[in-house]
Amino acid sequence: MGEKVKSFASNFFVTGDPLIYGADVSIVLTIVAVLFALTYFKKWRWLWGEWLTTVDHKKIGIMYILSAFLMLFRGGVDALLMRAQLAVPELKFLEPDHYNSIFTTHGVIMILFMAMPFMFGLFNVMVPLQIGARDVAYPFLNALSFWLFLSGAMLFNLSFVIGGSPDAGWLAYPPYSELMYNPGVGQDFYIWGIQISGIGSLMTGINFIVTILKMRTPGMKLMKMPMFPWSVLSSCIAIIFSFPILTATLALLFLDRYAGAHFFTLDGGGNPMMYINLIWMWGHPEVYIIVLPAFGIFSEIVATFAKKKLFGYKSMVYAMMIISLLSFLVWAHHFFTMGSGADVNAFFALTTMVIAIPTGAKVFNWLFTMFRGKITFETPMLWTIAFIPCFVTGGLTGVLLSVAPADFQFHNSYFLVAHFHHVIIGGVVFGYFAGLYYWWPKLFGFKLNERIGKWAFWFWNIGFYVCFMPQYVLGLMGMTRRVVTYGWDKGWGTMNLVSTIGACLMGIAFLFQVWQIAHGVKHRRNNLDTTGDPWNGRTLEWSIPSPAPHYNFAVLPQVSEQDEWWEEKLRRESGEKSIAPVKLEPIHMPKNSAIPIIMAAFWFLTGFGFVFHWLWLTIPGLIGVAGCMLAHSFNYDTDYYVPVDEIARTEAAIREVTS
């Protein structure tokens, strides 16, 4: 019996690597510390009632953003480990198998479990406020989306210490991801972690399309919406058409591994190129899915800190919608070298060049908005300005890669790695940082320390260029992707060392951000946002107190202009009387529900059972999911009304109410 237990444990847990043992210890200590703190401060009931069962879009958004920061830490550590391995030639810091695992998990975590939740968090906290809504269209579905995302992310990250991480690359190309070449459970963790979180992502896309189209406040026509909801709408349209492709592709791969199908195995009559086409039919729209909302954030920030109306509003709207459409017509540029033929390569080269036109046009919109504006350089604006040269560099190198003959030289090299990170970090991460700094006072009611924020900003930017500019040179020198080490004779050592130093500077920048948040929480009483409008903003979220009450607006605003709050302030300055306030009425709100977190837990058990082929766990998990759906179907007590006296008390506590 003892030998069986020992044998099971040795196969079940990842052993043999000091880094893994360190992770085990840190995970256990963190769990113990959290449990102790919740018990010692008697916060279990508060945690359950206020957060774990909430359907409030603002709290769900905060949990998304917190998850994204945790994943940024995990993915960043992976990046630092890879850069440490490549710092000098012939280093043996990481074994090849471990390096492959870290390479794979870094890509998946940063795209799907960091960028996506960061994006969804900002969707949640701001879209309803900007369109004058009291919540999203489907609050229960919104909560379920978050918990499904978190369940998938935790299932994927669990592979680091249980079973073994996936190691077939972040897109899991066959045959590397097929059972013959990858018999461990790591690839199944990959499939089910992404599948479960992907369901949540698809539901979020549906939810926010309906929210934006059907929940806008009276008077807010589509062409009077702020730019951020437009960017969210274009992103969500791409989500609902691309994520089903990912779901189907991973389902086919799972059938190959679990049931002996041969969709992607040549010797069984399948075709791995079919997988590559399908995964990039999702994968390239995914790049635009995560960058389009950043464009909306930059548009809001530029107009606010330049104190001007956004230049070319309609052209920005058309550009984002065109990008959302064209993003589905460029996927084959990822494999120009795979023998598709001159005609196919020419078509996808052309579409890739065409999509650069609306993307580049927006840069001119932002520059013309800043032209002759009264710009102030607070942290959100600094991130916006830093984005422009970074994203332009990434865009220009992308155009180079779109030229098929040139791509034959650049393909699979570090030139491509540098381009991708210029676009994703310079466009996506910088954008979401800018949005977080911009809307932080609205979320939490206090501003963060600007001095610490600027230290973080400069370390991030200097570290970024020091890290990735040398990689363009390395690519031109012939260094390919996915190499675990290289010889002294290659001449790559100096550039790799410089790149690793840059990565370390970005790691320091992240620590500055953690310090900035901790400092802000500690000194929040000295930096309270008592106005609700600390940046002199233009859109509706700045018309209500900070932080926003749980019902958002005591009275739904009436919109007559594009930047309604800015125009309202101008009317007040000119002495023009505002529209008379409407009498307070009871507000219809959704009730909290425990079903989303419980259903997500059953999905976690289902995925875990599929990973290890444990039907005794999978079947109860699926029954639990069905039971939760059935319970919710027969639950009619899902909403309530906030009484007028409670609204009046709440409003009186945060500002003077005009009756």
Side-chain angles (χ1 to χ4, degrees):
M1 182 65 179
E3 287 298 320
K4 288 183 178 180
V5 172
K6 185 177 179 180
S7 175
F8 171 78
S10 64
N11 292 321
F12 187 70
F13 295 103
V14 179
T15 58
D17 192 316
L19 292 173
I20 303 296
Y21 294 139
D24 291 336
V25 172
S26 64
I27 291 170
V28 171
L29 291 178
T30 301
I31 293 173
V32 170
V34 170
L35 295 177
F36 173 80
L38 289 171
T39 304
Y40 182 81
F41 293 106
K42 300 179 180 178
K43 291 292 185 179
W44 284 104
R45 185 182 296 275
W46 166 83
L47 180 66
W48 179 258
E50 294 292 325
W51 293 94
L52 300 185
T53 60
T54 187
V55 295
D56 184 345
H57 69 95
K58 297 178 291 297
K59 291 181 177 178
I60 291 171
I62 291 169
M63 290 191 290
Y64 266 123
I65 292 169
L66 178 60
S67 302
F69 257 82
L70 292 174
M71 293 297 102
L72 178 61
F73 171 75
R74 164 72 204 279
V77 169
D78 284 347
L80 288 172
L81 291 172
M82 286 191 291
R83 287 311 321 162
Q85 169 63 24
L86 294 171
V88 294
E90 298 180 4
L91 196 62
K92 295 184 179 179
F93 173 64
L94 295 175
E95 294 297 322
D97 286 345
H98 193 183
Y99 182 89
N100 286 343
S101 296
I102 288 176
F103 165 83
T104 300
T105 56
H106 168 73
V108 175
I109 286 171
M110 287 304 206
I111 297 295
L112 290 169
F113 300 135
M114 186 281 291
M116 291 292 284
F118 212 153
M119 177 181 82
F120 289 152
L122 294 172
F123 284 14
N124 269 279
V125 297
M126 277 305 128
V127 168
L129 297 182
Q130 287 201 319
I131 65 173
R134 293 200 168 104
D135 211 312
V136 296
Y138 306 114
F140 175 90
L141 195 68
N142 195 31
L144 180 59
S145 298
F146 168 73
W147 290 113
L148 286 176
F149 148 74
L150 191 64
S151 293
M154 291 300 102
L155 184 64
F156 180 87
N157 278 273
L158 201 61
S159 66
F160 188 53
V161 294
I162 294 178
S165 296
D167 58 5
W170 80 278
L171 288 175
Y173 285 178
Y176 306 118
S177 55
E178 292 284 1
L179 195 61
M180 179 183 294
Y181 298 98
N182 206 321
V185 297
Q187 202 56 45
D188 298 307
F189 272 115
Y190 172 99
I191 291 170
W192 284 99
I194 294 175
Q195 286 286 53
I196 293 171
S197 66
I199 296 170
S201 298
L202 181 59
M203 293 193 301
T204 298
I206 296 168
N207 206 344
F208 277 90
I209 288 175
V210 178
T211 299
I212 292 168
L213 294 182
K214 304 298 291 184
M215 299 282 286
R216 300 188 309 280
T217 196
M220 183 176 281
K221 305 297 183 183
L222 280 173
M223 295 308 287
K224 291 181 181 177
M225 271 201 315
M227 193 53 63
F228 182 59
W230 268 115
S231 69
V232 172
L233 181 62
S234 60
S235 176
C236 288
I237 290 171
I239 286 174
I240 64 170
F241 286 106
S242 65
F243 266 80
I245 301 173
L246 176 66
T247 300
T249 305
L250 293 181
L252 295 176
L253 180 61
F254 182 71
L255 289 174
D256 273 12
R257 295 178 57 84
Y258 189 83
H262 294 285
F263 292 104
F264 309 125
T265 54
L266 280 173
D267 58 350
N271 188 348
M273 275 304 299
M274 181 169 69
Y275 179 94
I276 295 172
N277 274 281
L278 288 171
I279 203 70
W280 280 116
M281 285 179 188
W282 161 80
H284 203 88
E286 167 66 9
V287 174
Y288 290 101
I289 285 168
I290 58 178
V291 81
L292 281 168
F295 294 161
I297 292 168
F298 293 132
S299 301
E300 302 289 346
I301 291 172
V302 165
T304 296
F305 289 99
K307 299 175 181 61
K308 285 177 60 182
K309 188 179 289 290
L310 181 68
F311 180 88
Y313 174 91
K314 289 184 178 180
S315 67
M316 291 282 282
V317 171
Y318 297 146
M320 285 192 286
M321 288 302 172
I322 290 169
I323 289 169
S324 183
L325 173 65
L326 289 179
S327 68
F328 288 90
L329 301 177
V330 298
W331 81 87
H333 70 210
H334 290 275
F335 39 94
F336 279 148
T337 63
M338 293 187 182
S340 300
D343 292 339
V344 172
N345 283 358
F347 173 82
F348 285 97
L350 181 62
T351 56
T352 305
M353 295 174 193
V354 168
I355 203 171
I357 297 172
T359 306
K362 291 192 294 301
V363 175
F364 290 99
N365 288 77
W366 296 317
L367 292 174
F368 282 124
T369 303
M370 288 188 275
F371 181 64
R372 293 183 177 176
K374 299 177 181 178
I375 302 173
T376 54
F377 295 96
E378 284 87 350
T379 311
M381 190 62 179
L382 289 178
W383 284 104
T384 301
I385 293 172
F387 148 80
I388 293 175
C390 188
F391 193 77
V392 167
T393 303
L396 289 174
T397 53
V399 172
L400 289 176
L401 288 162
S402 74
V403 181
D407 186 73
F408 272 74
Q409 304 302 316
F410 301 139
H411 185 79
N412 211 37
S413 75
Y414 259 72
F415 188 95
L416 177 59
V417 174
H419 155 73
F420 185 76
H421 285 84
H422 252 94
V423 173
I424 297 301
I425 295 180
V428 177
V429 179
F430 283 13
Y432 295 165
F433 283 165
L436 183 61
Y437 283 116
Y438 181 57
W439 285 311
W440 184 279
K442 185 56 57 182
L443 270 178
F444 300 103
F446 64 91
K447 292 177 70 174
L448 293 172
N449 183 279
E450 283 284 311
R451 184 167 174 269
I452 303 173
K454 287 174 181 176
W455 275 101
F457 168 82
W458 285 111
F459 266 92
W460 258 108
N461 277 269
I462 294 171
F464 176 82
Y465 285 102
V466 172
C467 180
F468 292 108
M469 293 308 288
Q471 293 184 12
Y472 285 114
V473 180
L474 286 166
L476 296 175
M477 293 171 68
M479 184 172 175
T480 57
R481 302 158 64 193
R482 306 182 183 94
V483 294
V484 67
T485 190
Y486 52 93
W488 288 94
D489 59 326
K490 297 291 187 181
W492 302 339
T494 301
M495 288 296 179
N496 270 296
L497 180 59
V498 172
S499 182
T500 299
I501 292 170
C504 292
L505 291 177
M506 287 192 286
I508 294 170
F510 179 79
L511 296 179
F512 270 110
Q513 289 178 305
V514 173
W515 176 27
Q516 184 185 17
I517 293 171
H519 178 277
V521 172
K522 182 178 179 181
H523 300 282
R524 62 188 181 278
R525 296 188 183 280
N526 299 327
N527 299 291
L528 291 178
D529 171 24
T530 57
T531 66
D533 188 13
W535 309 119
N536 193 20
R538 308 180 69 85
T539 43
L540 290 179
E541 73 269 29
W542 305 114
S543 68
I544 58 176
S546 300
H550 67 283
Y551 48 75
N552 295 346
F553 298 91
V555 177
L556 291 180
Q558 299 286 326
V559 171
S560 58
E561 303 289 344
Q562 183 182 315
D563 291 335
E564 177 61 29
W565 177 234
W566 182 263
E567 298 295 333
E568 172 65 16
K569 288 187 287 188
L570 292 179
R571 288 194 290 266
R572 292 179 183 180
E573 288 177 5
S574 65
E576 182 181 337
K577 288 187 177 181
S578 302
I579 299 173
V582 181
K583 181 181 178 182
L584 293 178
E585 296 179 351
I587 296 175
H588 180 247
M589 295 295 290
K591 281 186 176 180
N592 286 2
S593 175
I595 293 177
I597 188 173
I598 295 172
M599 188 188 297
F602 279 119
W603 268 114
F604 181 91
L605 295 177
T606 300
F608 198 82
F610 272 126
V611 166
F612 286 98
H613 296 207
W614 292 346
L615 290 179
W616 58 267
L617 186 61
T618 300
I619 293 173
L622 290 172
I623 292 172
V625 170
C628 288
M629 295 170 69
L630 193 64
H632 182 62
S633 298
F634 288 95
N635 178 23
Y636 301 104
D637 185 22
T638 59
D639 50 11
Y640 71 103
Y641 282 88
V642 183
V644 171
D645 58 344
E646 182 180 336
I647 301 169
R649 286 196 306 272
T650 303
E651 293 294 306
I654 51 182
R655 65 180 177 184
E656 182 178 352
V657 180
T658 303
S659 60

